[in-house]
Every structure is written in structure tokens, then in C-alpha cells.
Amino acid sequence: MGRKTTSPDIHLNLNVRGLKQSATLAINEKSAQMIREGHQVYRLGLGQSPFPVPQPVVDELRANAHQKDYLPVRGLPALREAVAGYHRRLHGIERSAGDVLVGPGSKELMFILQLVYYGDLLIPTPSWVSYAPQAKIVGRQIHWVSTRPDNDWRLMPDELDRLCRDDRRRPRILILNYPSNPTGDSYTIDELKALARVARKYKVILLSDEIYGELHHRGQHVSIARFYPEGTIISGGLSKWCGAGGWRLGTFVFPPCMRWLLEAMATVASETYTSTSAPIQYAAVRAFSGGMEMEQYLAQSRRVLRHLGRHVWRRLKTAGATVSGPVGGFYLFPDFTPLRERLAARGIRDSAALADVLLQETGVAGLPGVQFGRPPEELTLRLAYVDFDGARALMAAQQVPLGKELDKAFLELYCPNVIRAVDAMAKWLTR
Ligand code: GLU
């Protein structure tokens, strides 16, 4: 008899054992692999901006390729100043450079926040795939705050109140993300005010993930920090509105009274990533400084996303899904429960099977609702309508007078994979 072998994973930290690679990155790698093997794949899995980094920002990166020194842990002073100025200009929120922390992606900053702050994590369901695993890795208690489909899964103040009222003084962080990943929906000003009131009542720290704010399809994003300035940290970065996910640059903007938290995070940053890439930070100054070119780029990006999002939304509704209309960003979160019987007849009884079979039979890559904290048997799916050449689409949109619709012919020409993907899905669903 040989010695009993034990699996090496018993040596893994318990908080990490059993965790898999993040679903967004896994579907991206799987899609790329399938394409290399010769399959047709519509890449609606990873939420990556289809648009190029604006030219002035690229030029600035080129001009700063020689920047080689380690930068200050909290970020390049000129960038921290530009980020504060950006929030002042856009949202009327008075912050100084000292309130800004720059990091290699807002995802990393969120992780460090959870590490340094000893409190529970509240996340509305559905929410982005990485909030909960991060909390699990650092050993924080997670509470999914329930939402209702008839509210389009927006967090309602009474739900938050219900969760906080039993233990009023418990330290908590609530992550609010809007325009939402995964639903593409957003909040009205009144809803933000009401949520701010409850957060203030229980002194909940609000981490407002506004990474899609600039991609509000009508340019009407409002930060909740306006209504709860003393308790809100605004999370943002270049990944979505500036098309620069791979550049890895994120920002946190704190209220002045939370300098202690910023400092604790900076300490951890100094012992882990040291500082964010220098050339990227120099280039980011240009992005956050705004100006005509950035405005035009954003106006056209929003326009393409608005028309494309509405087209996909309508098509999904016609195919029988329940889905709320797109307001910002580039996601939709259809619920195929109305087609449950038809899908069950094909062996599809949960969102994981739905995503798997859909990919195998139509080539459409999406992510199952279960990854966003929805019950496994709910037939929800996140679709990122980003599989198109954004540079080409932006150039073509510029030729169509503002105010005129980017019609079906435009979308078929410039976003063909998204149109084909949703057509293939609709056919597959009604087969
Ligand atoms: N936020 C993007 C998504 O939800 C991708 C980046 C990531 O998950 O790290 O697909």
C-alpha cells in the first residue's frame, strides 16, 4: 500500500480554496481559445470598451514613455489634481488632490479598501462578479441586499434600511454601482437622495462605483456623493469611458473626513504595488483634464452605445426575455424565465447551463446570472454588447449628423457581430 496522497490545495489559505478565476476574465480567455480553434464566437462575455483610447491621451502616453521613476504611492500630484478637478467640473463635488488615491485599476483599490476597513460588505443583487470574491478573500462578511425584478433590480432604500436596522452601529460598506454592471440601468436623482438618507442614518460607507458614469447614454450621470458627501467614496478610472481597460488605472476620491482611510490604503499600497505605472499616470492627466476632443469622443461613444443597446434590448424582448432598457454602459441583463418550459425541454434549468449551451450552439458568449449573485435557477444572463470595432464605428458616427438616428443599416455595417449575435440568440430561443 502506498502512502495516502493529499491534495496540495490543503496548503491554500482557506479563503482562497475553491475559488476560480474571475468569470469575466475566464470567458474572455475561453472565447479567444475557441476562436483560435476555428469556432465562430460572438464575444459578449467580457465587458471591455470597444472604443480606442482617445488620440490626445495616446499621444501623451507616447510622449511620456521615458518616465521611469517610481511615482508617489498616492499618485502623480498632477494626476491627483486633474482627478479632483474633473469631479469638481462634472459633478460639482469639491475635492482636492489630497482626497484622491490612484491605483492600478479600481479593482485593486476596492480590494485594498476591504482589506483595511473592518466592516461587512453589502452588495445589491445582481452585482459585478468580483465584489463578493474580494470580500471572501479578505475574510469579510458579505450580505447580498435583495432587490426586486419589478424595480429592474435597483436597490430600494427600504431594503437597505431593513438590513441595517437590527444592528445600527455595525461598520459596513455598501457598494453601489451605476450605470449598472450587469443591468445597464441607473438611478434617478430622487432614488439617489433616498439611498443617501438611509446610508447617512446608519453611517454606512458608500463605495460608489461610477466607472460607467461617463457612459450614461444621455450624458446625465449624477454622483450620489452630491447627496452624501461625508460618507461616499467615488470609484472610477480609465477602463470604460476612456477605452483603456488594459492600461490599469483606477481612482478613488474620498471625502476629506476619510483621510485616515485613504492613508491606511496608501500604506498597504506602499507594501504591495508600490505605485501605479508612471507613463500611464502622465497620460491619464490628459484624459481627466477634458476639453473639446474628449467631449466629442464621449458624445459619439454614448450615441453608438445608446442606439446599439436599444436595438439589442428590443430584439431580446421580441424573443421573449424580460429585460430593462439600457440607460448607460454596455450591458443588458435579460431574464429568460418566461421561456423556462421551452428551455427545460432542452435540458436547460439554470443560468450556468443557459450560458454554456448558448455558447456551444450559437457561439454567443455571455455570463450566467449566478455569477452576479442571482439564484442559480434563475435564467438570467449578462450580455456585453461590445463585440465591434469601436474606432470604425466612431468614425462612421461622426459622419451622421447629431440628432439623427444610427439606424439598423448603420448598426449592421459597423456592429455586425453584435447584431448577428442577438439574431442568432433570438432564433435559438424561438426554435
Ligand atoms: N468589468 C469588466 C466586466 O465586468 C471586466 C473587467 C474585470 O472584470 O476585471 O466584464
Side-chain angles (χ1 to χ4, degrees), residues 22 24-25 45-48 107 128-130 181 212 240 248 331 367 372 382:
S22 178
T24 51
L25 303 164
L46 177 72
Q48 164 160 275
K107 192 171 183 174
W128 177 50
V129 299
S130 289
N181 174 5
Y212 300 95
K240 311 301 179 185
R248 310 310 302 132
Y331 304 107
L367 284 175
F372 299 83
R382 187 194 80 171

Side-chain angles (χ1 to χ4, degrees), residues 100 238 379:
V100 176
L238 292 186
L379 295 170

